[in-house]
Amino acid sequence: GSSGGETVCLHKYFRAPSIHSRVYVMRRQSSQEQTEKEKSMSIERVKEYFRACGIESRIQEFSASSATVGLAAELLGCVQNCKDAVFYGERAPVLVVTAGDAKIDNAKYKAQFSTKAKMLTPEETAAQIGHEVGGVCPFAVNGGVEIYLDISLKRFETVFPACGSCNSAAEFTIPELERYSHFLSWIDVCKGWA
């Protein structure tokens, strides 16, 4: 709600503890059970962050998966869905939020980051970013993650990034995405979008 003042969001200071130590020290009863617990922790982190920002009600959870661009477009009935690609960075993991129909252009990526675009494995993504593949988003990530927004998003008034699980999303205007993701900068590292 609005009481005349701007809502202050503490994302820069809110960094949920790394799941790396908790996930791999726990005794595994079954990989399926553990995966479900990790996914639940991830969306709960995003909910906690959104609650602190006063926007928790924006999260939409679906009974079906929205983990791929095609599935998300079907569920949301639109094409403004986002995808998040996670790469090895020079100092820290690099999370690039792009339009769902865009593809990383290796030459542009190398020109931007002075290194080849090499994606983290699903296990590394969960440990270093704090979200499982399919639910990766720029919210409530582990400390040290470098977040960038690709210009392929700018053609939309609103976009739908995931919210920490493979069956969630939330609608944001571009200025809201900038604010709540606490991105470092806009970049141009994609191809194939109209």
Side-chain angles (χ1 to χ4, degrees):
S2 178
S3 58
E6 182 179 1
T7 302
V8 176
C9 190
L10 304 175
H11 176 66
K12 288 183 180 179
Y13 309 104
F14 173 85
R15 295 291 189 186
S18 170
I19 65 166
H20 181 70
S21 57
R22 285 188 274 165
V23 170
Y24 298 104
V25 173
M26 282 190 237
R27 183 179 213 140
R28 291 184 182 255
Q29 292 179 0
S30 77
S31 60
Q32 176 72 23
E33 183 180 299
Q34 186 63 32
T35 301
E36 291 307 313
K37 185 169 187 158
E38 289 167 1
K39 289 177 185 174
S40 174
M41 287 170 37
S42 185
I43 191 167
E44 289 307 317
R45 287 173 56 176
V46 174
K47 285 180 179 179
E48 184 179 335
Y49 167 57
F50 281 10
R51 193 174 306 116
C53 296
I55 59 170
E56 182 185 9
S57 63
R58 289 190 181 199
I59 296 177
Q60 300 175 49
E61 292 186 76
F62 310 104
S63 58
S65 175
S66 60
T68 67
V69 171
L71 292 172
E74 255 181 63
L75 285 170
L76 297 166
C78 65
V79 295
Q80 307 100 283
N81 53 335
C82 300
K83 65 182 175 187
D84 303 85
V86 185
F87 302 93
Y88 292 98
E90 190 174 307
R91 297 171 307 281
V94 172
L95 190 158
V96 180
V97 184
T98 74
D101 61 348
K103 293 178 177 30
I104 296 294
D105 181 308
N106 289 325
K108 286 182 173 183
Y109 186 94
K110 188 167 186 174
Q112 176 72 43
F113 294 105
S114 301
T115 188
K116 185 178 176 181
K118 184 174 181 205
M119 295 185 81
L120 271 63
T121 67
E123 295 78 17
E124 290 168 329
T125 298
Q128 294 183 36
I129 305 304
H131 301 305
E132 295 279 324
V133 170
V136 173
C137 63
F139 316 113
V141 298
N142 290 340
V145 176
E146 296 179 356
I147 299 170
Y148 297 90
L149 303 179
D150 185 76
I151 64 166
S152 59
L153 296 166
K154 285 189 171 185
R155 65 196 151 128
F156 301 118
E157 286 186 34
T158 63
V159 293
F160 293 82
C163 293
S165 71
C166 66
N167 65 330
S168 64
E171 184 175 16
F172 289 96
T173 64
I174 297 302
E176 289 171 334
L177 180 64
E178 291 174 334
R179 178 179 178 191
Y180 295 116
S181 70
H182 295 284
F183 74 112
L184 295 173
S185 67
W186 283 97
I187 58 176
D188 179 6
V189 294
C190 288
K191 63 182 177 183
W193 52 278

